[in-house]
C-alpha cells in the first residue's frame, strides 16, 4: 500500500515552497552564513527575471573552501590538461560569487511528477534534492527528507474493494515475479485479509509474498500458512 500511496502523491504535494533564494552576485561568504543560520543545505540562484540559474549546495561551498588548498599542477601534467575543464575547476574553487560556484546541471521535475518518479531520479542521478520547475520558474524543492515524510504518512484506506478483485490483483502480482510459485501457492482473501496456503520452497519466498500482498490496495492484513515443500515434490518441481 505504501507503493500505491507514493504513486498517488505528486511533486506539488511534497515540495517545500517557502524557499530562500539568492541572486547570482551573492558573495560566497554570505551564502555560507545563510546556510548555517537557516539550517538549510542548499539555496537556489535566480536571475533578475526570476529564471532559475543554478543551485549552491553545501558541497559547492566545501569545494570552494578546499580549492584554496589546491597545489599548482606540474609542468608535465599541464601539457595534457584540458584547458576548458581546468578553467571551470578554477572558477568553481576560487570564485567569490554564486554565479561562479553554483551547480548548473540541475535535476528538475514538473509539479505533476509522481513521488515515485522523484525518488527514482534521486537514485539514478545520485542527488539529495530535486527542484520543481514550471515554465522555467522555480515552484519548490523536494529533498530526501520530504520523501521520507511521505513514506511515513498513514496509508489511505481503500474501502469497498471486493475480495475477489483483491485476490485477482495478488495473483497478477505473483505472476510477474519468477520466484512466486503460483503452482504450489494458493491465495485466499476474506474481508481484505490475505492468506497464503500451499507449499513454499524457502522462507525468503514467504517474506516476498507478504511484502507483495501488503502493496496491493485494499489488503488489510497478510497471513502465511504455507508449509515446507515436501521432498517428493522437489523431484517434480
Amino acid at each position: 500500500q505504501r507503493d500505491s500511496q507514493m504513486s498517488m502523491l505528486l511533486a506539488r504535494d511534497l515540495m517545500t515552497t517557502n524557499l530562500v533564494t539568492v541572486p547570482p552576485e551573492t558573495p560566497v561568504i554570505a551564502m555560507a552564513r545563510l546556510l548555517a543560520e537557516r539550517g538549510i543545505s542548499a539555496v537556489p540562484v535566480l536571475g533578475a527575471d526570476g529564471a532559475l540559474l543554478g543551485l549552491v549546495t553545501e558541497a559547492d561551498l566545501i569545494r570552494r573552501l578546499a580549492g584554496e588548498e589546491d597545489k599548482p599542477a606540474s609542468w608535465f601534467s599541464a601539457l595534457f590538461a584540458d584547458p576548458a575543464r581546468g578553467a571551470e575547476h578554477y572558477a568553481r574553487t576560487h570564485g567569490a560569487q554564486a554565479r561562479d560556484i553554483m551547480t548548473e546541471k540541475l535535476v528538475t521535475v514538473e509539479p505533476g511528477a509522481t513521488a515515485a518518479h522523484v525518488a527514482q531520479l534521486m537514485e539514478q542521478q545520485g542527488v539529495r534534492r530535486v527542484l520543481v520547475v514550471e515554465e522555467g520558474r522555480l515552484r519548490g524543492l523536494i529533498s530526501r527528507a520530504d520523501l521520507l515524510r511521505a513514506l511515513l504518512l498513514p496509508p489511505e484506506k481503500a474501502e469497498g474493494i471486493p475480495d475477489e478483485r483483491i485476490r485477482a490483483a495478488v495473483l497478477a502480482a505473483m505472476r510477474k515475479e519468477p520466484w512466486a510459485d503460483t503452482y504450489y501457492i494458493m491465495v485466499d482473501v476474506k474481508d481484505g485479509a490475505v492468506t497464503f496456503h500451499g507449499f513454499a520452497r524457502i522462507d525468503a519466498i514467504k517474506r516476498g509474498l507478504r511484502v507483495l500482498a501488503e502493496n496491493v490496495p485494499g489488503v488489510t492484513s497478510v497471513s502465511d500458512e504455507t508449509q515446507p515443500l515436501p521432498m517428493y515434490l522437489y523431484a517434480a518441481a
Side-chain angles (χ1 to χ4, degrees):
Q1 290 179 342
R2 293 295 182 184
D3 285 347
S4 177
Q5 181 178 344
M6 286 291 284
S7 66
M8 291 186 291
L9 288 172
L10 303 179
R12 63 169 56 92
D13 304 319
L14 301 170
M15 66 184 185
T16 298
T17 56
N18 186 24
L19 299 177
V20 179
T21 62
V22 297
E25 302 83 11
T26 306
V28 168
I29 188 64
M31 288 184 293
R33 186 180 298 113
L34 179 65
L35 265 59
E37 292 178 349
R38 296 294 183 95
I40 55 179
S41 60
V43 57
V45 182
L46 303 184
D49 59 352
L52 178 62
L53 302 179
L55 184 73
V56 174
T57 68
E58 288 177 328
D60 295 322
L61 290 171
I62 292 173
R63 187 183 300 112
R64 166 65 177 82
L65 181 62
E68 296 179 359
E69 300 296 325
D70 282 353
K71 296 180 180 179
S74 67
W75 67 269
F76 183 76
S77 61
L79 292 175
F80 302 97
D82 180 355
R85 184 176 180 181
E88 181 179 354
H89 175 77
Y90 183 87
R92 289 179 61 81
T93 56
H94 292 77
Q97 298 181 346
R99 70 169 84 247
D100 302 318
I101 71 169
M102 67 183 182
T103 298
E104 297 179 77
K105 295 180 179 179
L106 304 175
V107 180
T108 64
V109 296
E110 294 187 349
T114 64
H117 177 63
V118 173
Q120 185 179 43
L121 274 180
M122 286 186 178
E123 181 68 21
Q124 290 177 345
Q125 301 296 327
V127 296
R128 296 176 178 273
R129 59 194 65 82
V130 170
L131 296 170
V132 183
V133 178
E134 186 176 29
E135 297 181 355
R137 293 293 185 270
L138 178 65
R139 300 305 183 200
L141 181 148
I142 301 173
S143 66
R144 288 183 179 180
D146 295 323
L147 280 177
L148 288 175
R149 278 193 290 271
L151 281 171
L152 294 174
L153 288 174
E156 295 182 4
K157 294 183 179 180
E159 299 179 352
I161 300 179
D163 287 342
E164 279 304 311
R165 182 176 173 185
I166 294 175
R167 182 176 180 274
V170 172
L171 288 171
M174 289 174 64
R175 294 189 188 99
K176 294 179 181 179
E177 303 298 335
W179 50 263
D181 198 337
T182 55
Y183 187 80
Y184 291 116
I185 298 175
M186 294 159 284
V187 182
D188 180 49
V189 182
K190 185 176 182 180
D191 298 328
V194 174
T195 303
F196 290 104
H197 302 278
F199 303 106
R201 299 171 189 268
I202 54 177
D203 288 341
I205 291 179
K206 295 184 178 184
R207 180 184 179 188
L209 289 173
R210 175 180 58 78
V211 173
L212 180 147
E214 288 175 345
N215 279 282
V216 173
V219 172
T220 57
S221 65
V222 181
S223 300
D224 185 288
E225 295 186 6
T226 59
Q227 303 296 321
L229 190 67
M231 293 302 298
Y232 67 87
L233 289 180
Y234 268 105

